Amino acid sequence: MRLRRAIGGAAVPMVDPFLLLDDFKSDDPADYAAGFPTHPHRGVETVTYMIEGAMEHRDSVGNRGRLGPGAAQWMTAGRGILHSEMPEQERGLMWGLQLWVNLPAAHKMVRPRYQDIAPAAIPEIAREKARVRLVAGTAWGAEGPVRGIDVGPTMLDVAIERGGTLDVAIGAEDSAFVYVLDGALRVGPDRREVRERELAVLGAGEVCRLACDATVGRAMVVAARAIGEPVARRGPFVMNTEEELGRAYEDHRTGRLVEGG
Ligand code: MN
């Protein structure tokens, strides 16, 4: 799967509690045909947000479903899960985001939990020259469908027309970022331009003004409380110490990662 890594690479290793943001977007089936075959996770939450195309997901807890355009999936891997996401199309555009959200030490080994969110379950808020899809959190009197997540996330898919502005309040204890999907936005008081596939980290406790003077500006705005704990991460596992990471690999090797193993 060909993708662009906006968080989790050398340039931006993490924006606590966000450990990874991948943007997979291609209309060449050779780029996406391989999908994401079965692989494990522990100690982290993985979020998939589909923009175009469709994937089928399956996991070791027995969940199975289809993620189509506008759908979201919030998976709390907890103590361990095996899952796959494979394309459900042979041609056309495949475009989605994958975000990893850390779990605090006290909840890294919880039972896996999985929230499958249909496009219609995501409130759409119309503002002047702007529309917002509210995946998680509360904003403009609406509440997103994602529930019971430790770090209290806010996740917005924002589209602003030329000449429009949108003020987004960032919580006082939140880490936050804007990732532009399409077009360009002017972000914050200095109206810095953030273009397609670029990331801007926002300050806690500010009202961030997003303005569009391009043809369109569409972006994900994501915020959550920072955890502030040590992070030990390797491959699909995110723990607090190297020892815990070693145990995760050992449990995976011996089939004890998932419940009943
Ligand atoms: Mn995964």
Side-chain angles (χ1 to χ4, degrees):
M1 184 73 95
R2 282 181 60 157
L3 47 82
R4 168 79 60 100
R5 181 150 295 173
I7 297 175
V12 185
M14 75 180 284
V15 182
D16 184 11
F18 305 111
L19 299 153
L20 177 140
L21 177 65
D22 281 343
D23 178 355
F24 50 93
K25 181 182 186 182
S26 176
D27 57 10
D28 179 356
D31 287 340
Y32 59 72
F36 301 99
T38 303
H39 60 278
H41 289 288
R42 171 180 281 179
V44 67
E45 304 191 275
T46 68
V47 182
T48 304
Y49 185 64
M50 288 302 290
I51 298 162
E52 292 289 341
M55 305 271 264
E56 189 197 51
H57 64 84
R58 297 181 191 213
D59 67 42
S60 53
V61 184
N63 299 299
R64 180 175 174 174
R66 183 179 182 275
L67 273 167
Q73 180 203 92
W74 199 294
M75 186 183 83
T76 306
R79 60 157 284 179
I81 199 164
L82 294 165
H83 79 150
S84 65
E85 287 174 301
M86 300 300 289
E88 249 210 350
Q89 65 190 49
E90 287 170 2
R91 61 187 65 81
L93 179 63
M94 169 75 73
W95 185 12
L97 299 174
Q98 166 108 163
L99 175 72
W100 287 15
V101 183
N102 206 0
L103 283 165
H107 291 161
K108 280 197 180 291
M109 297 297 276
V110 295
R111 289 186 76 166
R113 194 161 70 99
Y114 177 89
Q115 300 183 59
D116 208 353
I117 296 148
I122 298 176
E124 207 163 299
I125 299 149
R127 309 289 294 174
E128 202 190 331
K129 293 191 174 185
R131 72 107 185 96
V132 178
R133 299 188 82 230
L134 181 59
V135 181
T138 54
W140 299 283
E143 188 173 9
V146 174
R147 292 285 187 278
I149 303 301
D150 286 319
V151 293
T154 299
M155 183 169 175
L156 316 173
D157 171 356
V158 169
I160 307 177
E161 295 169 34
R162 186 196 295 273
T165 62
L166 187 74
D167 289 338
V168 180
I170 307 298
E173 292 168 31
D174 280 358
S175 296
F177 65 84
V178 174
Y179 178 76
V180 174
L181 298 170
D182 194 15
L185 286 172
R186 300 267 172 194
V187 177
D190 57 356
R191 294 175 49 80
R192 182 180 297 234
E193 188 182 45
V194 183
R195 287 185 285 189
E196 194 174 311
R197 301 200 128 182
E198 291 180 343
L199 179 91
V201 176
L202 307 178
E206 70 178 26
V207 174
C208 180
R209 172 157 291 185
L210 306 175
C212 179
D213 55 16
T215 310
V216 68
R218 183 177 176 189
M220 299 305 292
V221 181
V222 188
R225 282 189 298 277
I227 293 173
E229 292 175 355
V231 174
R233 61 191 291 184
R234 202 179 318 135
F237 304 129
V238 184
M239 306 304 291
N240 297 104
T241 67
E242 283 296 318
E243 190 193 350
E244 291 167 347
L245 268 188
R247 198 173 310 131
Y249 274 93
E250 175 67 9
D251 283 353
H252 181 43
R253 198 179 61 75
T254 56
R256 284 176 299 173
L257 189 82
V258 300
E259 203 153 350

